[in-house]
Amino acid sequence: MLAAPILENEDKRIKELYDYGILDTPPEFNLDEIVFIASYICHTPISLISIIDKERQWFKANLGLNAAETPRDISFCGHAIQQDEIFIVENTEHDERFKDNPLVTADPKIKFYAGSPLITSTGYKLGTLCVIDYKPSKLNSDQERILKALAKLVIQNFEMKKLFKKIQNDEKNLIQHAKMLSLGEMASGIAHEINNPLMIITGKTHLMKEYIKENKTIDGTYLLNEIEKIEVTKDRIKDIISNLRLFAKNSEKEPLQPYSILGLLNETLLLCNEKIKNRSIEINIEHSENVKNIYINCKPNHIRQAFLNLLLNAYDALETVENKVINISFQVLSDRIKISFIDNGVGISKENRENLMKPFFTTKEVGKGIGLGLCSTKGIIEEHKGIFYLDTIIQNTCFVIELPR
């Protein structure tokens, strides 16, 4: 028996294979259909999509063979990937390379094999689409042509899956990048958020020291009252830092969980209140009492990110406006909650509305944004089975989030 040889570019081939993420994945209907067609066209009882790993051949699709994988060194497909054309063995018993192969002498007792290599766009061979029979056989030219065409369909399927995976990763990276940009924009505001409470603590402790020095008979009520104010301020700093940590962490694997929609907004505002106040922006939150009991099933950090994007977008839009206002309103519907973010800024022109949600589209000056905020917000909301849109009926700029309750 001639063992399946190792390719000269094996290390690069294996790296390419692993980049596709094919190995040990579940069966797929369209690939199962391809092996069925190959078996039907070539009149064979067995057809496989065989992927050649380091030491094994693993079957992504399998028709007629009672095995999920076999050792690579005894595989026929290990030989087939040595060439670009179909590899055919018409009668294994008359072929010195295979007549004493365990797959020939024992089950499944292969007598005929034909495999068309699965060649990637970069020229690496991941495996084969092959057909197998228990008796000697041949393929005519039409069968060979169809087998090669089906092999190309298999590799196109792999390419599409790889591209889709890249798009998903790029989208996650865009959202994470938008989050980091938001953190950068918040930096000055966070300094104020933490600095102001620290000034209160510093002032209170100074007053307490002076009070103790000036009063021989200490008034315990006064001291307890001042200590209580310090405790409240300390808790505020703790909440700010806690929310900042939550926001900054990589939340890709964050689980879905029930969360108060009003709580999400308040936690987001905690991170940017001072930044907004420093621009003299008035924030009005309108909601009915029952909103306090409304929960959504969500990834909390993702929704905070969406809220923050809209708050910072409104912050930028209000830069040149005299009386700056952001209105946030809640409307409880039968199956969903509607949140509207309205600012009285300069508004969005009709010609810009069409491109507003596209990645990297921005109307801001150079250096003030790269156009990821609204795009990432749209992605986050749609991931949560909601909708995000610009309400053009309202005169002022009004972005609306609708999420399932």
Side-chain angles (χ1 to χ4, degrees):
M1 183 197 82
L2 179 65
I6 301 299
L7 279 72
E8 291 182 3
N9 62 356
E10 182 66 5
D11 290 343
K12 292 180 179 179
R13 188 193 73 84
I14 289 294
K15 181 182 183 304
E16 178 93 340
L17 170 62
Y18 290 174
D19 285 345
Y20 275 80
I22 302 165
L23 291 167
D24 302 309
T25 54
E28 297 176 32
F29 174 77
N30 53 345
L31 296 180
D32 290 341
E33 290 290 280
I34 287 176
V35 294
F36 170 78
I37 294 170
S39 176
Y40 179 81
I41 293 295
C42 297
H43 308 298
T44 61
I46 299 172
S47 181
L48 308 165
I49 294 175
S50 174
I51 306 301
I52 304 299
D53 198 358
K54 289 180 180 179
E55 297 179 352
R56 60 172 178 157
Q57 66 169 348
W58 173 80
F59 306 129
K60 173 62 179 171
N62 183 337
L63 176 68
L65 187 65
N66 187 27
E69 60 182 58
T70 68
R72 175 177 175 172
D73 59 350
I74 64 171
S75 72
F76 283 68
C77 296
H79 292 268
I81 63 171
Q82 301 290 319
Q83 58 189 54
D84 296 336
E85 297 300 320
I86 293 180
F87 179 76
I88 299 176
V89 181
E90 294 181 351
N91 189 341
T92 57
E93 291 183 340
H94 297 162
D95 193 308
E96 293 296 327
R97 296 169 297 180
F98 301 106
K99 66 180 184 180
D100 56 350
N101 186 297
L103 299 175
V104 174
T105 58
D107 285 336
K109 296 185 177 179
I110 297 172
K111 293 295 186 290
F112 168 78
Y113 171 92
S116 183
L118 303 174
I119 307 173
T120 69
S121 57
T122 52
Y124 294 102
K125 303 180 186 79
L126 305 184
T128 71
L129 169 64
C130 65
V131 289
I132 295 171
D133 207 339
Y134 306 121
K135 63 182 188 298
S137 187
K138 294 182 178 181
L139 295 183
N140 60 42
S141 59
D142 287 340
Q143 288 172 322
E144 288 188 21
R145 183 178 176 183
I146 292 172
L147 191 63
K148 288 173 69 175
L150 291 173
K152 289 179 181 178
L153 287 179
V154 173
I155 205 67
Q156 285 173 10
N157 175 278
F158 292 166
E159 299 274 4
M160 287 176 62
K161 290 285 173 55
K162 184 181 180 183
L163 178 60
F164 181 68
K165 184 178 178 181
K166 182 179 184 303
I167 291 171
Q168 285 184 315
N169 288 335
D170 286 347
E171 183 179 352
K172 290 174 183 174
N173 290 336
L174 280 175
I175 291 173
Q176 186 66 17
H177 185 56
K179 184 189 294 185
M180 292 302 104
L181 286 176
S182 299
L183 279 174
E185 290 185 46
M186 283 195 303
S188 60
I190 294 295
H192 283 288
E193 296 286 354
I194 296 176
N195 191 49
N196 287 353
L198 285 175
M199 287 177 66
I200 294 172
I201 290 175
T202 302
K204 291 295 180 184
T205 52
H206 176 74
L207 289 173
M208 289 172 66
K209 286 178 182 177
E210 293 298 315
Y211 179 81
I212 292 170
K213 289 177 183 178
E214 295 173 3
N215 292 272
K216 293 182 180 180
T217 305
I218 301 298
D219 183 353
T221 303
Y222 168 79
L223 289 178
L224 287 173
N225 185 47
E226 294 302 300
I227 289 170
E228 186 177 342
K229 291 176 183 177
I230 291 173
E231 289 288 333
V232 170
T233 307
K234 178 204 71 176
D235 289 340
R236 181 184 169 199
I237 294 175
K238 181 181 176 183
D239 288 342
I240 291 169
I241 293 173
S242 175
N243 278 281
L244 185 59
R245 283 176 175 168
L246 279 173
F247 184 83
K249 74 176 184 179
N250 189 335
S251 52
E252 180 182 331
K253 297 182 180 180
E254 186 179 25
L256 288 167
Q257 57 184 290
Y259 214 98
S260 162
I261 190 70
L262 198 58
L264 287 166
L265 177 63
N266 289 330
E267 289 163 1
T268 306
L269 286 170
L270 191 64
L271 294 178
C272 57
N273 255 335
E274 288 298 327
K275 180 180 177 74
I276 289 171
K277 286 178 183 176
N278 287 341
R279 186 166 279 185
S280 301
I281 298 174
E282 177 186 347
I283 292 188
N284 298 318
I285 302 176
E286 304 168 10
H287 65 81
S288 55
E289 188 64 26
N290 63 338
V291 170
K292 295 179 180 179
N293 299 318
I294 298 298
Y295 284 72
I296 60 170
N297 198 36
C298 68
K299 295 181 178 181
N301 210 30
H302 286 204
I303 300 300
R304 293 187 194 101
Q305 167 72 46
F307 286 171
L308 183 65
N309 288 343
L310 295 181
L311 287 166
L312 292 176
N313 191 72
Y315 175 89
D316 289 337
L318 294 169
E319 184 175 5
T320 59
V321 177
E322 187 173 348
N323 297 315
K324 304 171 174 65
V325 180
I326 300 174
N327 289 316
I328 304 171
S329 65
F330 292 82
Q331 184 180 357
V332 180
L333 305 173
S334 59
D335 60 344
R336 64 193 189 279
I337 181 78
K338 181 177 178 181
I339 312 107
S340 301
F341 290 75
I342 307 171
D343 68 70
N344 64 333
V346 294
I348 299 166
S349 64
K350 289 182 180 179
E351 56 268 24
N352 285 333
R353 290 173 187 172
E354 184 179 344
N355 298 314
L356 205 57
M357 307 290 183
K358 293 180 180 178
F360 305 111
F361 176 81
T362 179
T363 58
K364 298 175 185 177
E365 297 175 18
V366 176
K368 289 193 174 182
I370 61 171
L372 289 176
L374 295 178
C375 171
S376 67
T377 298
K378 185 175 185 289
I380 289 167
I381 299 307
E382 290 178 352
E383 181 189 2
H384 286 79
K385 304 188 187 310
I387 56 175
F388 173 61
Y389 57 93
L390 176 70
D391 188 344
T392 55
I393 298 175
I394 305 271
Q395 184 176 359
N396 296 109
T397 301
C398 175
F399 286 103
V400 180
I401 290 173
E402 294 188 19
L403 289 165
R405 289 174 53 183

